[in-house]
Coordinates of all heavy atoms in Angstrom, one line a residue:
M1 N 190.8 -61.4 -8.8 CA 191.4 -60.1 -9.3 C 191.2 -60.1 -10.8 O 191.6 -61.1 -11.5 CB 192.8 -60.0 -8.9 CG 193.1 -59.0 -7.8 SD 194.8 -58.5 -7.9 CE 195.6 -59.4 -6.6
D2 N 190.8 -59.0 -11.4 CA 190.8 -59.0 -12.8 C 192.1 -58.5 -13.3 O 193.1 -58.3 -12.6 CB 189.7 -58.2 -13.4 CG 189.8 -56.7 -13.0 OD1 190.6 -56.4 -12.0 OD2 189.1 -55.8 -13.7
K3 N 192.3 -58.5 -14.7 CA 193.6 -58.2 -15.4 C 194.0 -56.8 -14.9 O 195.2 -56.5 -14.8 CB 193.5 -58.4 -16.8 CG 194.8 -58.4 -17.5 CD 194.7 -58.8 -18.9 CE 196.0 -59.0 -19.6 NZ 196.1 -59.8 -20.8
K4 N 193.1 -55.8 -14.9 CA 193.5 -54.4 -14.7 C 194.1 -54.2 -13.2 O 195.0 -53.6 -13.1 CB 192.3 -53.5 -14.9 CG 192.7 -52.0 -14.8 CD 191.7 -51.1 -15.2 CE 192.1 -49.7 -15.1 NZ 191.1 -48.7 -15.5
E5 N 193.4 -54.9 -12.4 CA 193.9 -54.9 -10.9 C 195.2 -55.4 -10.8 O 196.0 -54.9 -10.0 CB 192.8 -55.5 -10.1 CG 191.5 -54.7 -9.8 CD 190.6 -55.5 -8.9 OE1 190.8 -56.7 -8.7 OE2 189.6 -54.9 -8.4
R6 N 195.5 -56.5 -11.4 CA 196.7 -57.3 -11.3 C 197.8 -56.4 -11.9 O 198.9 -56.3 -11.3 CB 196.7 -58.6 -12.0 CG 196.0 -59.6 -11.2 CD 196.3 -61.0 -11.8 NE 196.6 -61.1 -13.2 CZ 196.0 -61.9 -14.1 NH1 195.2 -62.8 -13.7 NH2 196.3 -61.9 -15.3
S7 N 197.5 -55.8 -13.0 CA 198.5 -54.8 -13.6 C 198.8 -53.7 -12.7 O 200.1 -53.3 -12.6 CB 197.9 -54.4 -15.0 OG 198.9 -53.4 -15.5
T8 N 197.9 -53.0 -12.1 CA 198.1 -52.0 -11.2 C 198.8 -52.4 -9.9 O 199.8 -51.7 -9.5 CB 196.8 -51.4 -10.7 OG1 196.0 -51.0 -11.9 CG2 197.0 -50.1 -9.8
F9 N 198.5 -53.6 -9.5 CA 199.3 -54.1 -8.3 C 200.7 -54.5 -8.6 O 201.6 -54.3 -7.8 CB 198.5 -55.3 -7.7 CG 198.9 -55.7 -6.3 CD1 198.8 -54.8 -5.2 CD2 199.3 -57.0 -6.1 CE1 199.2 -55.2 -4.0 CE2 199.8 -57.4 -4.7 CZ 199.6 -56.5 -3.7
S10 N 200.8 -55.0 -9.8 CA 202.2 -55.4 -10.2 C 203.1 -54.1 -10.4 O 204.2 -54.2 -9.9 CB 202.2 -56.0 -11.6 OG 203.4 -56.1 -12.2
Q11 N 202.5 -53.0 -10.9 CA 203.3 -51.7 -10.9 C 203.7 -51.2 -9.6 O 204.7 -50.6 -9.3 CB 202.5 -50.7 -11.7 CG 202.4 -51.0 -13.2 CD 201.5 -50.1 -13.9 OE1 200.9 -49.2 -13.4 NE2 201.6 -50.1 -15.3
V12 N 202.7 -51.3 -8.6 CA 203.0 -50.9 -7.2 C 204.1 -51.8 -6.5 O 205.0 -51.2 -5.9 CB 201.7 -51.0 -6.5 CG1 201.9 -50.8 -4.9 CG2 200.7 -50.0 -6.9
M13 N 204.1 -53.1 -6.9 CA 205.1 -53.9 -6.3 C 206.4 -53.6 -6.9 O 207.5 -53.6 -6.2 CB 204.8 -55.3 -6.5 CG 203.5 -55.8 -5.7 SD 203.2 -57.5 -5.9 CE 203.9 -58.1 -4.3
I14 N 206.5 -53.4 -8.2 CA 207.8 -52.9 -8.8 C 208.3 -51.6 -8.3 O 209.5 -51.5 -8.0 CB 207.6 -52.9 -10.3 CG1 207.3 -54.3 -11.0 CG2 208.9 -52.3 -11.0 CD1 208.4 -55.3 -10.8
A15 N 207.4 -50.7 -8.1 CA 207.8 -49.3 -7.5 C 208.2 -49.6 -6.1 O 209.2 -48.9 -5.7 CB 206.5 -48.4 -7.5
G16 N 207.6 -50.5 -5.3 CA 208.2 -50.8 -4.0 C 209.6 -51.5 -4.0 O 210.4 -51.2 -3.2
A17 N 209.8 -52.3 -5.1 CA 211.1 -52.8 -5.2 C 212.2 -51.8 -5.5 O 213.3 -51.8 -4.9 CB 211.1 -53.9 -6.3
V18 N 211.9 -50.8 -6.4 CA 212.7 -49.7 -6.7 C 213.0 -48.9 -5.4 O 214.2 -48.5 -5.0 CB 212.3 -48.8 -7.8 CG1 213.0 -47.6 -8.0 CG2 212.1 -49.7 -9.1
F19 N 212.0 -48.6 -4.6 CA 212.1 -47.8 -3.4 C 212.9 -48.6 -2.4 O 213.8 -48.0 -1.7 CB 210.7 -47.6 -2.9 CG 210.8 -46.7 -1.7 CD1 211.1 -45.3 -1.8 CD2 210.4 -47.2 -0.3 CE1 211.2 -44.5 -0.6 CE2 210.4 -46.4 0.7 CZ 210.8 -44.9 0.7
S20 N 212.8 -50.0 -2.4 CA 213.7 -50.7 -1.5 C 215.1 -50.7 -1.8 O 216.0 -50.6 -1.0 CB 213.2 -52.2 -1.4 OG 211.9 -52.2 -0.9
V21 N 215.4 -50.7 -3.1 CA 216.8 -50.6 -3.6 C 217.4 -49.2 -3.2 O 218.5 -49.1 -2.8 CB 216.9 -50.8 -5.1 CG1 218.3 -50.5 -5.6 CG2 216.5 -52.3 -5.4
I22 N 216.5 -48.2 -3.4 CA 216.9 -46.8 -2.9 C 217.4 -46.8 -1.4 O 218.3 -46.3 -1.0 CB 215.9 -45.8 -3.3 CG1 215.9 -45.6 -4.7 CG2 216.2 -44.4 -2.5 CD1 214.7 -44.8 -5.3
L23 N 216.5 -47.3 -0.6 CA 216.8 -47.4 0.8 C 218.0 -48.4 1.1 O 218.7 -48.0 2.1 CB 215.5 -48.0 1.6 CG 214.3 -47.2 1.7 CD1 213.2 -47.8 2.3 CD2 214.6 -45.9 2.5
A24 N 218.2 -49.4 0.4 CA 219.5 -50.1 0.5 C 220.6 -49.3 0.3 O 221.7 -49.4 0.9 CB 219.4 -51.4 -0.3
G25 N 220.6 -48.4 -0.7 CA 221.6 -47.5 -1.1 C 221.9 -46.5 0.0 O 223.1 -46.3 0.4
V26 N 220.8 -46.0 0.6 CA 221.0 -45.1 1.7 C 221.7 -45.8 2.9 O 222.6 -45.2 3.5 CB 219.6 -44.5 2.1 CG1 219.7 -43.6 3.4 CG2 219.1 -43.5 1.0
G27 N 221.2 -47.0 3.1 CA 221.8 -47.7 4.2 C 223.3 -48.1 3.9 O 224.1 -48.1 4.9
Y28 N 223.6 -48.3 2.7 CA 225.0 -48.5 2.3 C 225.8 -47.4 2.7 O 227.1 -47.4 3.0 CB 225.2 -48.9 0.8 CG 226.6 -49.0 0.4 CD1 227.3 -50.2 0.7 CD2 227.2 -48.1 -0.4 CE1 228.6 -50.4 0.3 CE2 228.5 -48.3 -0.8 CZ 229.1 -49.3 -0.5 OH 230.5 -49.6 -0.9
M29 N 225.3 -46.1 2.5 CA 226.1 -44.9 2.7 C 226.3 -44.6 4.2 O 227.2 -43.8 4.6 CB 225.4 -43.6 2.2 CG 225.2 -43.8 0.6 SD 226.8 -43.9 -0.1 CE 226.7 -42.7 -1.3
G30 N 225.5 -45.4 5.1 CA 225.9 -45.2 6.5 C 224.7 -45.1 7.5 O 224.9 -45.2 8.7
T31 N 223.6 -44.8 6.9 CA 222.4 -44.7 7.8 C 221.3 -45.8 7.4 O 220.6 -45.6 6.5 CB 221.8 -43.3 7.7 OG1 222.8 -42.3 7.7 CG2 220.7 -43.0 8.6
D32 N 221.2 -46.7 8.2 CA 220.2 -47.8 8.0 C 218.9 -47.2 8.4 O 218.7 -46.6 9.5 CB 220.6 -49.0 8.9 CG 221.7 -49.8 8.3 OD1 221.8 -49.8 7.1 OD2 222.3 -50.6 9.1
I33 N 217.9 -47.5 7.6 CA 216.5 -47.1 8.0 C 215.6 -48.4 8.2 O 215.4 -49.1 7.2 CB 215.9 -46.3 6.7 CG1 216.8 -45.0 6.5 CG2 214.4 -45.9 7.0 CD1 216.5 -44.2 5.3
W34 N 215.5 -48.6 9.4 CA 214.6 -49.7 9.8 C 215.2 -51.1 9.6 O 215.2 -51.9 10.5 CB 213.1 -49.6 9.3 CG 212.2 -50.4 10.1 CD1 212.1 -50.5 11.4 CD2 211.3 -51.3 9.5 NE1 211.0 -51.4 11.7 CE2 210.5 -51.9 10.6 CE3 211.0 -51.7 8.2 CZ2 209.5 -52.8 10.3 CZ3 209.9 -52.6 7.9 CH2 209.2 -53.1 9.1
L35 N 215.7 -51.3 8.4 CA 216.3 -52.6 8.1 C 217.7 -52.4 7.6 O 218.1 -51.3 7.2 CB 215.5 -53.4 7.0 CG 214.1 -53.8 7.3 CD1 213.5 -54.4 6.1 CD2 214.1 -54.8 8.4
A36 N 218.5 -53.4 7.6 CA 219.9 -53.3 7.1 C 219.8 -53.3 5.5 O 218.9 -53.7 4.9 CB 220.7 -54.4 7.6
S37 N 220.9 -52.9 4.9 CA 220.9 -52.8 3.5 C 220.7 -54.2 2.7 O 219.9 -54.3 1.8 CB 222.3 -52.3 3.0 OG 222.5 -51.0 3.5
T38 N 221.2 -55.2 3.3 CA 221.1 -56.5 2.6 C 219.6 -57.0 2.7 O 219.0 -57.6 1.9 CB 221.9 -57.5 3.3 OG1 221.7 -57.5 4.7 CG2 223.4 -57.3 3.0
Q39 N 218.9 -56.6 3.9 CA 217.6 -56.9 4.1 C 216.6 -56.2 3.1 O 215.6 -56.7 2.6 CB 217.1 -56.7 5.5 CG 217.8 -57.6 6.5 CD 217.6 -57.3 7.9 OE1 217.4 -56.1 8.2 NE2 217.6 -58.2 8.8
W40 N 217.1 -54.9 2.9 CA 216.3 -54.2 1.9 C 216.4 -54.7 0.5 O 215.5 -54.8 -0.4 CB 216.6 -52.7 1.9 CG 216.0 -51.8 3.0 CD1 216.7 -51.3 4.0 CD2 214.6 -51.6 3.2 NE1 215.8 -50.6 4.8 CE2 214.5 -50.8 4.3 CE3 213.5 -51.9 2.5 CZ2 213.3 -50.4 4.8 CZ3 212.3 -51.5 3.0 CH2 212.3 -50.8 4.1
L41 N 217.6 -55.3 0.1 CA 217.8 -55.9 -1.1 C 216.9 -57.2 -1.2 O 216.4 -57.5 -2.3 CB 219.3 -56.3 -1.3 CG 220.0 -54.9 -1.6 CD1 221.5 -55.4 -1.8 CD2 219.5 -54.3 -2.9
L42 N 216.8 -58.0 -0.2 CA 215.9 -59.1 -0.2 C 214.5 -58.7 -0.3 O 213.8 -59.4 -1.1 CB 216.1 -59.9 1.2 CG 217.4 -60.6 1.3 CD1 217.6 -61.2 2.7 CD2 217.5 -61.8 0.3
V43 N 214.0 -57.7 0.4 CA 212.7 -57.1 0.2 C 212.4 -56.8 -1.3 O 211.3 -57.1 -1.9 CB 212.4 -56.1 1.1 CG1 211.1 -55.3 0.8 CG2 212.4 -56.5 2.5
A44 N 213.5 -56.1 -1.9 CA 213.3 -55.7 -3.3 C 213.2 -56.9 -4.2 O 212.4 -56.9 -5.2 CB 214.5 -54.8 -3.7
A45 N 214.0 -57.9 -3.9 CA 214.0 -59.0 -4.9 C 212.5 -59.8 -4.8 O 212.0 -60.2 -5.8 CB 214.9 -60.2 -4.4
V46 N 212.1 -59.9 -3.5 CA 210.8 -60.6 -3.3 C 209.6 -59.8 -4.1 O 208.8 -60.3 -4.8 CB 210.5 -60.7 -1.8 CG1 208.9 -61.2 -1.7 CG2 211.3 -61.8 -1.3
L47 N 209.6 -58.4 -3.9 CA 208.6 -57.6 -4.5 C 208.8 -57.6 -6.0 O 207.7 -57.6 -6.8 CB 208.8 -56.1 -4.0 CG 208.4 -55.8 -2.6 CD1 208.6 -54.3 -2.2 CD2 206.9 -56.1 -2.5
A48 N 210.0 -57.6 -6.6 CA 210.2 -57.6 -8.0 C 209.6 -59.0 -8.6 O 209.0 -59.0 -9.6 CB 211.6 -57.4 -8.3
L49 N 210.0 -60.0 -7.9 CA 209.5 -61.4 -8.3 C 208.0 -61.4 -8.4 O 207.4 -62.0 -9.4 CB 210.1 -62.5 -7.5 CG 211.6 -62.8 -7.8 CD1 212.1 -63.8 -6.7 CD2 211.8 -63.3 -9.2
F50 N 207.4 -61.0 -7.3 CA 205.9 -61.1 -7.3 C 205.3 -60.1 -8.3 O 204.3 -60.3 -9.0 CB 205.3 -60.8 -5.9 CG 205.4 -62.0 -5.0 CD1 206.2 -62.1 -3.9 CD2 204.6 -63.1 -5.3 CE1 206.1 -63.2 -3.1 CE2 204.6 -64.3 -4.5 CZ 205.4 -64.4 -3.4
G51 N 205.9 -59.0 -8.5 CA 205.5 -57.9 -9.4 C 205.6 -58.5 -10.9 O 204.7 -58.2 -11.7
L52 N 206.6 -59.2 -11.2 CA 206.8 -59.8 -12.5 C 205.8 -61.0 -12.7 O 205.2 -61.2 -13.8 CB 208.1 -60.3 -12.7 CG 209.1 -59.2 -12.9 CD1 210.6 -59.8 -13.0 CD2 208.9 -58.4 -14.2
Y53 N 205.5 -61.7 -11.6 CA 204.6 -62.9 -11.7 C 203.2 -62.3 -12.0 O 202.5 -63.0 -12.8 CB 204.6 -63.6 -10.4 CG 203.5 -64.7 -10.3 CD1 203.7 -65.8 -10.9 CD2 202.4 -64.5 -9.5 CE1 202.8 -66.8 -10.9 CE2 201.4 -65.4 -9.4 CZ 201.6 -66.6 -10.1 OH 200.6 -67.6 -10.0
L54 N 202.8 -61.2 -11.4 CA 201.4 -60.7 -11.6 C 201.3 -60.1 -12.9 O 200.2 -59.8 -13.4 CB 201.1 -59.7 -10.5 CG 200.9 -60.3 -9.1 CD1 200.6 -59.3 -8.1 CD2 199.6 -61.3 -9.1
K55 N 202.4 -59.6 -13.5 CA 202.3 -59.0 -14.8 C 202.0 -60.0 -15.9 O 201.2 -59.8 -16.7 CB 203.6 -58.3 -15.1 CG 203.5 -57.3 -16.2 CD 204.7 -56.4 -16.3 CE 204.4 -55.2 -17.0 NZ 205.1 -54.1 -16.7

């Protein structure tokens, strides 16, 4: 992977982390979507860490 591809993939992973946090918030309000809220937060943490690593 070259630097531009890594940067783009990093942004996609950070966006996925933000989306996962939003889904965790929706789950907290009462409607779990596929995973429980705590699991969405774990997914967000992993995506954010890999996104920062690739940046």
Side-chain angles (χ1 to χ4, degrees):
M1 257 203 256
D2 65 344
K3 191 169 188 167
K4 186 175 181 177
E5 287 177 348
R6 281 195 331 227
S7 176
T8 302
F9 194 58
S10 171
Q11 290 176 350
V12 168
M13 293 184 100
I14 296 295
V18 170
F19 185 67
S20 296
V21 169
I22 291 170
L23 288 176
V26 169
Y28 175 74
M29 297 304 229
T31 306
D32 283 335
I33 300 174
W34 195 49
L35 295 174
S37 297
T38 54
Q39 292 168 328
W40 279 119
L41 289 176
L42 289 172
V43 169
V46 170
L47 287 174
L49 286 174
F50 278 113
L52 289 175
Y53 173 75
L54 288 175
K55 196 165 201 156

